[in-house]
Amino acid sequence: MNLKISSIVGALACGLALVLGAQPAAAHPGSLWGIDLSSVVALRDQARLAAHRTTPPPQQAELERVRTIVLDPGHGGENHGAIGVAGIREKHLTLELAYHLREAIQARYPEVRVVMTRYWDTSMGLSERVHLANLAEADLFLSLHYNAAVHNRALGYETFFLTPEEVTPGEQQEQSPMLASAEGGAVESPVEGARLVGQHGDDLIFIQRDLMRAHQHQLSGHLAHCVQNGFRTHLDSIDRGVKQANFGVLRGAHMPAVVVEAGFLTHPGEGQELVQRAHRQRVVNALVDAIDAFDDEMARVLDQP
């Protein structure tokens, strides 16, 4: 009898080892128990929105044009990003910033849907991030980053949007300078010489698409200036201005999209401040104000005759 019990226990232990061993090594911990974190987050948003509609707080702010926001915590997984003087990797700081920004947006604008490109430390391609934003039909896209330099004197905040030649696919792509978020991963462009066929003529389709891209590019510029103005109000650092660059994470976006560089991790003073809660809160306040200002600007631009 003891021999049979020992055999059964051994077989169960062996089976359990095989089951656990079959789990992919890179799987998110929640997947081991059949939990999909994105579904849990979506359910949490639905519960929050239902509670808001049942007992809305007095004088709750609303946005006119922006209904869906996609936040992109830069880097993740094998892509650590910059490592600053405080010894903390950029990928962790951007994720922390995204979570706090998401909470702040939903606290001020409960009706707005906020989607993050990643919710934990996972690798994600640049084209995947912008593709997710397109699928979500986002009204704006913020790619969150912290800057780095080869020397320790650079400091300040800056905001990027796409260069004009990259707005229209098919143009020769040029690599941007070596910045913290200037990575590879271009979005595929149409085959050279290929023509789209349309019911009302090919040329009309190309003209319409060019006008749409030009309009989107204009709105991206407005968004970048709103972000920079928000930083100027809330951050005590150097205003490095709004710039244009060929960022892979912006190419192919169907909505106003910018790359945010909230400070230099490699500066001896600023690099220490960036990891503190007080600085993160100032960045969050700046970006929430920027979203509010951009919503007003977008309503003004889109309502023009």
Side-chain angles (χ1 to χ4, degrees):
M1 180 64 69
N2 292 337
L3 181 59
K4 290 183 178 180
I5 293 175
S6 299
S7 299
I8 294 173
V9 171
L12 289 174
C14 182
L16 179 61
L18 289 174
V19 169
L20 293 177
Q23 295 292 343
H28 182 264
S31 65
L32 297 178
W33 309 105
I35 299 174
D36 177 39
L37 183 56
S38 59
S39 298
V40 173
V41 170
L43 290 173
R44 175 185 175 279
D45 286 344
Q46 293 177 19
R48 175 189 55 80
L49 189 56
H52 162 70
R53 289 174 176 171
T54 303
T55 56
Q59 298 180 345
Q60 184 67 51
E62 291 186 6
L63 298 177
E64 290 185 47
R65 298 288 181 172
V66 176
R67 309 310 302 164
T68 300
I69 298 172
V70 170
L71 304 179
D72 172 42
H75 310 285
E78 297 178 355
N79 185 352
H80 304 306
I83 301 178
V85 294
I88 300 178
R89 293 170 175 171
E90 182 185 0
K91 65 175 182 177
H92 298 309
L93 292 173
T94 58
L95 187 60
E96 185 79 1
L97 174 60
Y99 269 114
H100 282 79
L101 178 57
R102 177 174 176 269
E103 293 292 332
I105 294 171
Q106 293 179 332
R108 186 184 293 192
Y109 310 110
E111 296 284 345
V112 173
R113 182 169 66 121
V114 182
V115 179
M116 290 167 54
T117 57
R118 65 183 181 95
Y119 291 88
W120 55 85
D121 184 18
T122 184
S123 297
M124 194 172 189
L126 300 181
S127 59
E128 291 179 276
R129 297 168 190 259
V130 73
H131 181 60
L132 186 151
N134 290 338
L135 289 177
E137 298 182 345
D139 297 302
L140 64 88
F141 176 83
L142 298 177
S143 188
L144 307 175
H145 293 265
Y146 291 94
N147 225 329
V150 294
H151 54 80
N152 64 0
R153 299 182 302 278
L155 78 161
Y157 48 86
E158 54 193 356
T159 311
F160 291 85
F161 67 111
L162 208 57
T163 52
E165 60 269 19
E166 293 302 328
V167 177
T168 303
E171 299 287 342
Q172 182 177 0
Q173 296 173 351
E174 300 178 0
Q175 293 296 324
S176 60
M178 291 301 294
L179 300 168
S181 53
E183 307 167 50
V187 177
E188 293 183 3
S189 39
V191 178
E192 184 178 358
R195 298 284 288 175
L196 298 178
V197 178
Q199 183 178 359
H200 302 292
D202 299 338
D203 292 335
L204 180 58
I205 289 179
F206 276 104
I207 291 173
Q208 289 174 337
R209 292 192 177 184
D210 285 344
L211 288 174
M212 290 175 61
R213 293 188 184 105
H215 184 62
Q216 174 200 318
H217 187 252
Q218 179 190 23
L219 289 175
S220 293
H222 286 308
L223 176 58
H225 282 283
C226 288
V227 170
Q228 201 68 11
N229 288 338
F231 281 159
R232 193 177 298 116
T233 301
H234 290 276
L235 298 184
D236 183 18
S237 188
I238 301 298
D239 181 358
R240 298 173 64 90
V242 171
K243 301 177 182 179
Q244 294 178 263
N246 174 16
F247 284 105
V249 74
L250 300 181
R251 290 197 297 269
H254 296 167
M255 76 294 301
V258 298
V259 166
V260 176
E261 299 280 3
F264 277 82
L265 292 168
T266 48
H267 187 270
E270 189 168 74
Q272 295 289 346
E273 292 181 8
L274 294 180
V275 302
Q276 297 175 9
R277 178 176 299 181
H279 187 278
R280 182 174 61 241
Q281 187 60 53
R282 289 194 292 270
V283 173
V284 166
N285 294 341
L287 293 176
V288 173
D289 286 352
I291 291 170
D292 184 70
F294 175 71
D295 182 73
D296 292 339
E297 181 68 17
M298 189 162 64
R300 184 188 67 80
V301 171
L302 295 180
D303 289 343
Q304 288 179 349

